[in-house]
Amino acid sequence: MFGYRSAAPKVRLTTDRLVVRLVHERDAWRLADYYAENRAFLKPWEPVRDESHCYPSGWQARLGLIAEMHRQGSAFYFMVMDPEENAVRGVANFSNVVRGSFHACYLGYSLGQQWQGQGMMLEALQSAIRYMQRQQRIHRIMANYMPHNHRSGDLLTRLGFVKEGYAKDYLLIDGRWQDHVLTALTASEWTPERRGKPS
C-alpha cells in the first residue's frame, strides 16, 4: 500500500495569560484530570459523559480519533492551558468542518469551575477563532447555547456572534432534550483562495 497521510497540524497559540493548542495523543492524563475535576460543574451543560472521560485510558483511543480528524481537517480540538502547559483550564472544539461552498464549522467550549468569571474563555476563543478564520479559512462559525446559560450567551455576544434562530429540543444535554439559541460569526473579509486549487 502506498497510502498518503498528511501530518496532524501542530498549532500552539499564546495569549497574555494562556496557551491555546491542539490536543495530541500524549494529553490523555491532562484531559482526564480536567473532566474528573470539573465533572459535577460541567454536568448541567454537557451531554452525559461515561466514566472513561475521567481516566487517561479512556482518552487514549479518543485522542487517536481526534488526531485523525486533525489530519483530515474535519475538526480542531484545542486545550486552554496555563502558560507552562501543566494543566487544562478549558477546551474549545471546532467540529464538523465543511469546506466547498460552505466553509463552516461548529464551536463548543467549556471552562473549569475555578477559572470562571476571569475573561479566560474570551481570551482563548479570540485567539482560536482568529486561527480558524485566517489559517483554516473558515467563513462561518456556528455556536449554540441553552437560553438559561446567560454566561455563554454573553460571551458569544462579546465575540461578535449574532443570534440567528431558536431550536426546540435541539441537543441532548444532561440526559434531556434542551432548547438552544442559534448563533453564528461570519468572516466579513473572507475571499476565495487564488492558488489554482479548488477551495
Side-chain angles (χ1 to χ4, degrees), residues 6-49:
S6 61
K10 303 279 193 294
V11 182
R12 183 181 182 275
L13 313 170
T14 58
T15 71
D16 289 343
R17 298 178 290 171
L18 304 166
V19 169
V20 183
R21 69 163 173 80
L22 287 182
V23 304
H24 53 60
E25 294 182 63
R26 297 184 304 278
D27 287 323
W29 66 270
R30 290 184 179 93
L31 287 161
D33 282 353
Y34 172 73
Y35 282 99
E37 183 178 329
N38 293 285
R39 185 172 190 173
F41 175 72
L42 295 176
K43 184 177 181 291
W45 313 107
E46 295 197 329
V48 173
R49 305 288 191 193

Side-chain angles (χ1 to χ4, degrees), residues 94-98 103-107 132 138 140-143:
F94 297 84
S95 61
N96 297 321
V97 175
V98 179
H103 286 278
C105 66
Y106 286 93
L107 166 63
M132 293 300 295
I138 295 297
R140 167 180 286 264
I141 300 173
M142 296 167 284

Side-chain angles (χ1 to χ4, degrees), residues 53-105:
H53 257 72
C54 299
Y55 295 97
S57 58
W59 275 97
Q60 285 166 354
R62 197 174 286 117
L63 285 169
L65 295 173
I66 289 172
E68 184 60 34
M69 288 189 280
H70 287 171
R71 281 189 284 270
Q72 294 172 357
S74 62
F76 297 85
Y77 285 73
F78 288 92
M79 296 192 305
V80 179
M81 308 186 75
D82 63 287
E84 291 75 37
E85 299 184 51
N86 292 322
V88 179
R89 295 183 178 179
V91 296
N93 305 322
F94 297 84
S95 61
N96 297 321
V97 175
V98 179
R99 310 284 180 172
S101 59
F102 200 26
H103 286 278
C105 66

Side-chain angles (χ1 to χ4, degrees), residues 50-190:
D50 60 40
E51 292 288 329
S52 70
H53 257 72
C54 299
Y55 295 97
S57 58
W59 275 97
Q60 285 166 354
R62 197 174 286 117
L63 285 169
L65 295 173
I66 289 172
E68 184 60 34
M69 288 189 280
H70 287 171
R71 281 189 284 270
Q72 294 172 357
S74 62
F76 297 85
Y77 285 73
F78 288 92
M79 296 192 305
V80 179
M81 308 186 75
D82 63 287
E84 291 75 37
E85 299 184 51
N86 292 322
V88 179
R89 295 183 178 179
V91 296
N93 305 322
F94 297 84
S95 61
N96 297 321
V97 175
V98 179
R99 310 284 180 172
S101 59
F102 200 26
H103 286 278
C105 66
Y106 286 93
L107 166 63
Y109 50 85
S110 68
L111 188 69
Q113 185 171 14
Q114 75 177 103
W115 307 110
Q116 296 288 318
Q118 301 175 43
M120 285 194 183
M121 188 51 75
L122 176 68
E123 187 176 319
L125 287 178
Q126 284 172 332
S127 182
I129 287 170
R130 190 178 307 117
Y131 168 80
M132 293 300 295
Q133 290 178 331
R134 294 179 182 176
Q135 271 64 52
Q136 293 301 323
R137 305 194 66 259
I138 295 297
H139 174 248
R140 167 180 286 264
I141 300 173
M142 296 167 284
N144 309 315
Y145 65 93
M146 291 181 286
H148 58 281
N149 191 347
H150 302 295
R151 179 167 274 170
S152 192
D154 291 344
L155 170 65
L156 292 171
T157 298
R158 292 181 68 189
L159 287 165
F161 283 75
V162 175
K163 293 178 184 176
E164 293 190 330
Y166 188 96
K168 298 286 290 180
D169 295 341
Y170 183 69
L171 287 177
L172 190 60
I173 301 294
D174 196 22
R176 294 188 300 122
W177 289 107
Q178 301 271 7
D179 296 357
H180 278 69
V181 178
L182 312 180
T183 77
L185 175 70
T186 55
S188 58
E189 297 177 6
W190 192 95

